[in-house]
Amino acid sequence: MQSRIIGTGACVPDDVLTNEAIERLVDTSDEWIVSRTGIRERRRTGGTEASSDLAYKAARYALRDAGVKAGEVDLVLVATTTPDMLLPSTACIVQDRLGLKNVPAFDLSAACTGFIYGLSTADAFIRSGAYGTILLIGVDTLTKFTDYGDRTTCVIFGDGAGAVVVKAIREKRGVIGSMLYADGDKWDYIYVPAGGSRIPSYAADKTTWYLRMKGHDTFKVAVRGLEQAIIGLLERYRVPIEDIDIVIPHQANVRIIEALTRKLGYPPEKVFVNIQKYGNTSAASIPIALDEAVRQGRIKSGDTVLLTAFGSGLTWGASLIKW
Ligand code: COA
């Protein structure tokens, strides 16, 4: 059995937060943000709008695209680090909204690498024969944990969700394989101190409830990690880099993507970039980009597609797909 992505979908909130709007909040400029990150605008959830609201809509689009009824799904997987609440899982909330009964559902936490970890998990479940049709969603609403008084983080993040339907097939195509990595030694490169068991939300204050990030250090580790994941994956599956038709990287910073492309000697025009519109949407960034690439005709049947991401944990990884 192989697993194949048979449908994609995405959803971002309506509210657009432009660089000009951020200029009014902190000491920064559109010129600085664009030249240092590639980001021009991002989307932001408002009020009580939560991750499951975006996840549900992305899931509906992906199911429709796949021509699969919600009732045919036999596992719901949600990659997120910004669940609606501490418990239950956002996957259970999405499962309920889709009207699914008696189908397992769980969240998976690998921050911006969540979609790669999720795809690898879905692929393993399918290869084992345990499940046949898996709904995999990457969703994050990090703007809810962003300090709009901190110029070093508030320009980066946006909210969104992307979903795919992964199906068991008996063909030599689909997910070829994935490589996953983690380095917990660097857990404090990107983290939100409060809201868990160490600093419960009732004990949080303005110094602990927002995301903290060592941006410069993360940048360097990210480029190395992505390169390692891609080279490791291509070696394991004996695929020369020239055979890759498109790379869909996690959209964290356009300079990270450019540095990686240069190191690999890979043609930049074959790398998909949409960070200018959404910023870093964490676990949603790859499935949103994948959905756009498919819709724009950038991915055709038979193409070899490489996905790669890094994020808090630190975690990183890559997946290879024969589309
Ligand atoms: N506007 C203007 N100046 C800013 C700024 C902003 N929004 N943010 C930081 N600066 C300033 C800093 O204060 C610093 O000033 P100083 O030299 O007077 O101290 C200067 O710019 C350089 O800061 P530095 O952190 O070295 O900038 P950078 O080129 O590394 O860019 C990031 C900062 C955050 C954009 C970049 O490091 C990055 O993208 N890192 C990766 C983060 C990431 O991907 N996180 C998510 C992982 S999934």
Side-chain angles (χ1 to χ4, degrees):
M1 275 299 175
Q2 296 239 140
S3 53
R4 186 177 167 209
I5 294 176
I6 59 161
T8 65
C11 171
V12 291
D14 294 332
D15 185 26
V16 179
L17 183 64
T18 61
N19 289 351
E20 289 70 26
I22 292 188
E23 279 177 359
R24 293 193 284 275
L25 302 174
V26 288
D27 179 16
T28 189
S29 66
D30 175 55
E31 194 278 327
W32 192 97
I33 302 170
V34 173
S35 64
R36 294 299 184 110
T37 69
I39 302 166
R40 292 185 184 276
E41 58 187 42
R42 66 291 287 145
R43 300 298 182 96
R44 193 157 57 150
T45 44
T48 57
E49 190 177 21
S51 290
S52 71
D53 300 319
L54 304 178
Y56 168 72
K57 287 184 191 154
R60 286 242 71 107
Y61 295 139
L63 288 166
R64 193 168 63 199
D65 187 48
V68 165
K69 291 192 184 68
E72 294 169 45
V73 170
D74 49 20
L75 174 67
V76 179
L77 262 178
V78 174
T80 188
T81 30
T82 50
D84 285 21
M85 47 193 112
L86 216 49
L87 65 154
S89 70
T90 299
C92 283
I93 295 168
V94 173
Q95 188 241 39
D96 175 52
R97 287 191 65 183
L98 288 169
L100 294 169
K101 298 273 176 243
N102 296 321
V103 165
F106 65 91
D107 286 2
L108 182 152
S109 166
C112 301
T113 319
F115 187 77
I116 302 286
Y117 270 64
L119 187 62
S120 175
T121 305
D123 184 40
F125 271 132
I126 283 178
R127 283 178 197 270
S128 75
Y131 300 105
T133 307
I134 299 176
L135 176 63
L136 168 63
I137 305 165
V139 60
D140 268 310
T141 47
L142 275 170
T143 68
K144 296 270 173 113
F145 303 89
T146 298
D147 178 0
Y148 285 92
D150 174 9
R151 69 176 182 173
T152 66
T153 53
C154 77
V155 301
I156 307 273
F157 298 102
D159 300 337
V164 294
V165 178
V166 191
K167 197 166 172 55
I169 51 155
R170 290 194 185 279
E171 290 170 50
K172 278 230 159 294
R173 63 195 289 184
V175 179
I176 297 168
S178 302
M179 299 272 278
L180 307 178
Y181 302 81
D183 181 3
D185 179 45
K186 298 183 177 57
W187 67 268
D188 62 346
Y189 276 36
I190 312 165
Y191 71 112
V192 178
S197 56
R198 192 164 302 282
I199 307 174
S201 45
Y202 59 78
D205 61 28
K206 283 198 156 197
T207 65
T208 53
W209 66 47
Y210 292 126
L211 181 141
R212 295 179 185 177
M213 180 175 76
K214 295 181 184 173
H216 205 71
D217 296 330
T218 305
F219 191 111
K220 284 187 284 188
V221 182
V223 177
R224 277 204 304 272
L226 292 171
E227 187 189 17
Q228 174 194 35
I230 292 172
I231 289 173
L233 187 68
L234 296 181
E235 277 177 8
R236 179 186 281 181
Y237 294 100
R238 297 198 177 86
V239 175
I241 195 155
E242 301 76 46
D243 286 9
I244 305 298
D245 295 296
I246 186 166
V247 173
I248 303 198
H250 169 47
Q251 310 285 311
N253 183 320
V254 80
R255 287 190 298 130
I256 292 177
I257 296 172
E258 286 166 0
L260 176 71
T261 311
R262 268 197 310 277
K263 280 187 139 209
L264 293 170
Y266 188 75
E269 63 278 8
K270 290 167 113 186
V271 180
F272 192 84
V273 176
N274 66 358
I275 191 172
Q276 66 282 1
K277 295 191 287 183
Y278 307 120
N280 179 346
T281 56
S282 190
S285 110
I286 288 185
I288 290 174
L290 188 63
D291 181 61
E292 283 198 5
V294 170
R295 260 155 244 304
Q296 291 172 13
R298 294 276 304 265
I299 303 178
K300 298 174 297 299
S301 181
D303 277 358
T304 306
V305 180
L306 192 144
L307 315 177
T308 188
F310 72 95
S312 168
L314 293 178
T315 54
W316 63 101
S319 300
L320 201 53
I321 302 169
K322 190 82 179 162
W323 200 260

